Amino acid sequence: MKKRILGFWEIWNMSFGFLGIQFGFALQGGFMSRIFQTLGADKHDIPLLWIAAPLTGLLVQPIIGYMSDRTWHHRFGRRRPYFLIGAVLSSIALFFVPYSPALWVAAGFLWILDASINISMEPFRALVADKLDESQRTYGFVMQTLIIGIGTWVASNLPWLVSKMGVSDSAALGVVPDSVKIAFAIGAFVFLISILYTVFTTTEYPPEDMEEFEREKAQKSSFVSDIINNIGNMPSTMKKLGVIQFFSWFAFFTMWSMANPALTEHVYKMPAPIEANFDMTTVEGQKAYDIENTAFQKSSNLVGSAMGVYGLSSMAFALLFVFYTSKRNINRKYVHMISLIIGGAGFLLMTVVTPEQLKYCFVLIGIAWGSILSMPYAMLSSSVDPKKMGMFMGIFNMFIVIPQIIAALGGINYISGLLGDDAINAMIIAGLSLVIAGLSNFLITDKAAISYQPQS
């Protein structure tokens, strides 16, 4: 079916819900490790505490993709019911995460939060392929990246901004500061409102053959066998993209889980205080602990603010390509390759920069992030059956979550440990991983994936 060419605001409206999704991911990615450290986690235990995120993605995304492919509601369409359910659950989880009284509670909330975000996120990827003509696919995914960049920058700066407005960064032992609690509450509100905006401003195409759709839907579900069959029969281009995704997401999971301990320790020289090093039975010991903890919390605000810069540069990347791809074709393969290598350089430079220079590392990382959020999906959407777009987008997520699971189960600690015990070594591994991901783009040879091929 030839689809109508959509205008800027129509694509903006259908992508706007990603603002809320990215508020959730940016707050989770930028501040969950800080919450874990505040609740007493050792820096070497943090990757394992993060395992909830990739595991829930591995389980939830293929299921939601399969279900949304088989859903049609006369008012809410195919993908939008899942946007709404995920938004409600995510907003509730975001609000309560910083109130966790113990480490195991925070880890449990991360499971709930990540599962809920994934319920909303996977259908958004499929929606672009559903609604846009193939000639607009790159444009659509880049538009999502633009909105994600805005969300990343604003959400990453929220604790710093709230602190500047006078809210305290100090808190009792094992208590998350009010600046973080308020930031997460704002994130919960933005998540829900932005999803509602897309739900009520966007329509969807019904199935081309409604009778055939209803017959397939009425047949006995064979979810597991369908997933297994489609994994076994995935297109060659999808497998090659999987290699690129593996190394890309290993790098970014390493950043999300280890940037706070690595950068507060190596760049700001203000690591999280260890309770055992203080005599908490004396006033002097408690005061000394509070001074160091407040310094750690403030340096964590600065790390979060610096991380927000990668949202800005990914937004600039997206803005450039939104204008360019609205009129012209691009070589997705080489754009992605160069962007990933630039991002790798950003991680490697963290070993030598000053606090004032740190933001420039994240400028480079943001270029890679902007490409990761658009180019692989644009290449993939030109390589799979449109009727199974939701399922394949969910299966493609395996190439995102498996490297994260490997990283969480000891991959980060083992590989970075080969370089020494310093937390900053994790950022070196992230940089090398992104460079490998960039070079892996040489595997992509399908012309339709590399750039849009007009139908003759």
Side-chain angles (χ1 to χ4, degrees):
M1 179 178 71
K2 178 68 175 177
K3 297 171 184 174
R4 182 172 63 86
I5 299 299
L6 301 188
F8 174 88
W9 288 112
E10 290 173 296
I11 299 176
W12 174 271
N13 289 344
M14 64 183 273
S15 302
F16 189 77
F18 243 114
L19 179 73
I21 291 173
Q22 196 54 33
F23 259 71
F25 270 130
L27 289 169
Q28 173 185 296
F31 302 102
M32 278 307 302
S33 292
R34 172 183 180 175
I35 291 173
F36 288 151
Q37 286 185 282
T38 299
L39 295 173
D42 182 85
K43 65 184 180 183
H44 297 296
D45 296 331
I46 288 175
L48 186 59
L49 290 168
W50 269 86
I51 197 170
L55 273 181
T56 52
L58 182 64
L59 296 171
V60 171
Q61 289 217 16
I63 294 172
I64 296 301
Y66 180 85
M67 291 174 63
S68 68
D69 281 344
R70 298 166 66 88
T71 296
W72 179 257
H73 187 276
H74 69 280
R75 182 175 180 184
F76 291 108
R78 171 173 287 174
R79 315 295 181 185
R80 287 176 295 158
Y82 299 93
F83 300 168
L84 194 54
I85 293 168
V88 172
L89 296 175
S90 298
S91 297
I92 294 170
L94 268 174
F95 182 83
F96 285 107
V97 163
Y99 291 91
S100 301
L103 190 58
W104 69 269
V105 177
F109 264 124
L110 181 58
W111 283 87
I112 298 169
L113 176 60
D114 207 83
S116 303
I117 294 175
N118 274 295
I119 290 171
S120 286
M121 186 182 73
E122 193 284 331
F124 260 101
R125 296 296 189 194
L127 182 68
V128 169
D130 288 346
K131 282 189 65 70
L132 294 183
D133 183 74
E134 191 168 339
S135 64
Q136 286 193 300
R137 296 267 176 87
T138 301
Y139 184 28
F141 285 116
V142 169
M143 180 72 81
Q144 283 189 351
T145 303
L146 171 62
I147 292 173
I148 288 170
I150 296 169
T152 299
W153 180 69
V154 176
S156 297
N157 278 284
L158 276 177
W160 171 82
L161 179 61
V162 170
S163 175
K164 285 293 184 182
M165 294 172 68
V167 179
S168 177
D169 287 314
S170 298
L173 177 66
V175 176
V176 176
D178 286 344
S179 57
V180 176
K181 291 176 180 176
I182 292 174
F184 272 68
I186 294 170
F189 176 78
V190 173
F191 198 119
L192 184 60
I193 293 300
S194 63
I195 292 286
L196 288 174
Y197 179 86
T198 287
V199 167
F200 291 111
T201 61
T202 301
T203 59
E204 298 184 65
Y205 290 116
E208 290 185 43
D209 187 334
M210 186 62 74
E211 289 186 6
E212 181 186 352
F213 176 80
E214 292 295 343
R215 280 197 301 270
E216 291 178 358
K217 190 176 170 183
Q219 291 175 358
K220 185 177 179 181
S221 176
S222 52
F223 167 71
V224 176
S225 62
D226 282 354
I227 291 286
I228 292 172
N229 287 337
N230 282 292
I231 289 173
N233 296 315
M234 71 174 70
S236 173
T237 297
M238 186 172 172
K239 295 175 185 176
K240 294 172 182 177
L241 283 168
V243 176
I244 300 167
Q245 291 290 81
F246 182 94
F247 290 104
S248 299
W249 287 88
F250 188 97
F252 273 86
F253 182 85
T254 301
M255 181 189 77
W256 293 323
S257 60
M258 293 301 294
N260 199 71
L263 300 177
T264 52
E265 176 185 296
H266 182 79
V267 178
Y268 290 96
K269 315 298 183 186
M270 296 178 184
I274 300 171
E275 184 184 352
N277 294 341
F278 298 86
D279 183 0
M280 302 302 287
T281 62
T282 66
V283 174
E284 290 78 11
Q286 293 174 12
K287 186 178 292 185
Y289 176 87
D290 186 58
I291 290 171
E292 288 201 18
N293 184 53
T294 300
F296 164 70
Q297 298 293 347
K298 288 187 177 296
S299 67
S300 295
N301 282 349
L302 294 173
V303 170
S305 182
M307 286 181 71
V309 173
Y310 89 86
L312 270 184
S313 60
S314 69
M315 182 172 65
F317 171 95
L319 193 60
L320 172 65
F321 281 98
V322 160
F323 289 118
Y324 192 86
T325 58
S326 65
K327 303 293 183 184
R328 301 175 182 85
N329 267 336
I330 60 169
N331 187 306
R332 300 161 181 163
K333 168 181 172 176
Y334 288 118
V335 167
H336 198 41
M337 178 188 296
I338 294 168
S339 299
L340 293 177
I341 293 172
I342 289 172
F347 280 117
L348 296 172
L349 287 170
M350 288 179 176
T351 59
V352 296
V353 297
T354 64
E356 293 75 22
Q357 296 168 337
L358 181 61
K359 57 182 176 288
Y360 300 112
C361 293
F362 283 107
V363 169
L364 301 181
I365 292 167
I367 293 170
W369 183 237
S371 189
I372 286 170
L373 293 176
S374 53
M375 296 303 145
Y377 297 99
M379 287 190 271
L380 176 67
S381 67
S382 299
S383 309
V384 301
D385 181 356
K387 292 182 179 179
K388 298 180 179 179
M389 190 64 68
M391 179 184 288
F392 274 119
M393 286 291 181
I395 292 172
F396 192 55
N397 187 59
M398 291 192 309
F399 297 120
I400 295 174
V401 299
I402 289 173
Q404 295 181 62
I405 292 170
I406 292 171
L409 290 176
I412 295 173
N413 287 339
Y414 176 75
I415 300 174
S416 64
L418 297 175
L419 303 178
D421 193 51
D422 293 338
I424 195 64
N425 292 331
M427 299 300 100
I428 297 175
I429 298 305
L432 295 175
S433 187
L434 266 192
V435 171
I436 294 171
L439 296 175
S440 297
N441 277 273
F442 282 119
L443 296 171
I444 306 299
T445 55
D446 179 18
K447 291 182 180 179
I450 293 171
S451 62
Y452 168 63
Q453 304 293 314
Q455 297 297 316
S456 57

